[in-house]
Amino acid sequence: PIWSGCVVTAYYNLNDVEFLTANVAIAVGKTGSALRTNNADAQGATVWDVIVLGEVSLQEGLNGLYAITQHDYNFKAVSFLDDQTGFIVGDKGIVLYTSDGGFHWQQQLRPISCRTFAVEGCFSESNHGITWNDVVAMRTDIANQFRVVLIGAGGQMKVGMATSYGDSNNNVWLWSNRTLEITTDLKAMVFADVNHGWVVGAEGVILKTSDGTATWIQQTA
């Protein structure tokens, strides 16, 4: 294959990239880095635009609520199930959802809460402020039904389900935890189809599902 340089006017430490179409992709990384292609410029080089998310969540501090912007998050992974619907995940329990191809994003799950951010760190009643390391979005075998799988630190896994009724902007994601008998960090996953997938992690952990994330079996190398 032939690789060529891209026009990026600033330095970004990027962790993941996902193609929405043959010409459009979204890349994410540290300090809230989020970039989106806008096809090719007149010289044939791919140009990347910065995605501005604004105030992603509100945090609880000693002096009341204050805003945390995207630069306070490290984005770990991005996944799209089609050219419109996708997710970005990262540290501090952040899960972002778009239904318009990455131009606008909204937060899923419950925003984390912080107390004296620089001293005590962050916690969350709903997701414990864990780092989500990977995300996979897919369509299921049921018409108009979607699934998204999150994996992260401490053996955490969460699955979201949604059904489309013709307007993707009205998708409501229902989230549930998957209880795994491990506590090691889960790093990456891949699915061969809607039922068969693998998750890998620290300390040589390999997990396999054959029933669409309902159950997982640990494998050995």
Side-chain angles (χ1 to χ4, degrees):
I2 299 175
W3 294 83
S4 59
C6 298
V7 178
V8 179
T9 57
Y11 175 79
Y12 298 95
N13 193 334
L14 301 172
N15 291 321
D16 197 17
V17 62
E18 175 86 339
F19 275 88
L20 286 66
T21 69
N23 296 316
V24 179
I26 289 179
V28 298
K30 292 185 177 181
T31 59
S33 299
L35 306 174
R36 187 184 192 280
T37 59
N38 62 349
N39 297 317
D41 65 10
Q43 288 72 42
T46 300
V47 179
W48 294 79
D49 294 326
V50 175
I51 299 174
V52 179
L53 302 175
E55 296 179 355
V56 179
S57 64
L58 293 176
Q59 309 297 330
E60 180 184 357
L62 291 179
N63 297 318
L65 294 176
Y66 61 97
I68 292 294
T69 69
Q70 68 187 82
H71 303 294
D72 296 295
Y73 294 99
N74 289 323
F75 297 142
K76 295 283 190 175
V78 55
S79 179
F80 275 73
L81 62 84
D82 54 35
D83 63 353
Q84 297 296 310
T85 309
F87 288 84
I88 293 174
V89 300
D91 65 355
K92 303 182 182 72
I94 189 68
V95 179
L96 299 174
Y97 166 64
T98 181
S99 59
D100 63 1
F103 289 101
H104 301 90
W105 297 82
Q106 56 182 293
Q107 189 163 0
Q108 290 286 307
L109 304 178
R110 184 175 174 181
I112 64 171
S113 179
C114 284
R115 290 181 178 175
T116 54
F117 182 84
V119 179
E120 298 180 34
C122 298
F123 70 96
S124 170
E125 296 177 3
S126 61
N127 55 37
H128 308 295
I130 67 173
T131 294
W132 297 114
N133 290 319
D134 202 4
V135 55
V136 171
M138 68 192 83
R139 295 179 182 273
T140 71
D141 291 331
I142 300 174
N144 299 321
Q145 187 181 78
F146 311 130
R147 178 192 300 137
V148 59
V149 185
L150 315 177
I151 59 171
Q156 295 288 324
M157 177 182 292
K158 193 177 286 287
V159 176
M161 301 293 295
T163 300
S164 175
Y165 297 99
D167 183 354
S168 61
N169 292 315
N170 290 329
N171 287 345
V172 176
W173 292 87
L174 302 178
W175 297 89
S176 60
N177 293 317
R178 291 291 185 268
T179 301
L180 306 175
E181 296 181 357
I182 59 172
T183 57
T184 53
D185 292 351
L186 304 178
K187 299 291 189 177
M189 62 181 158
V190 64
F191 280 80
D193 53 43
V194 296
N195 292 315
H196 299 86
W198 287 262
V199 170
V200 296
E203 302 177 12
V205 166
I206 303 175
L207 302 173
K208 178 185 178 182
T209 182
S210 299
D211 54 14
T213 77
T215 59
W216 293 82
I217 299 174
Q218 189 162 351
Q219 298 184 319
T220 57

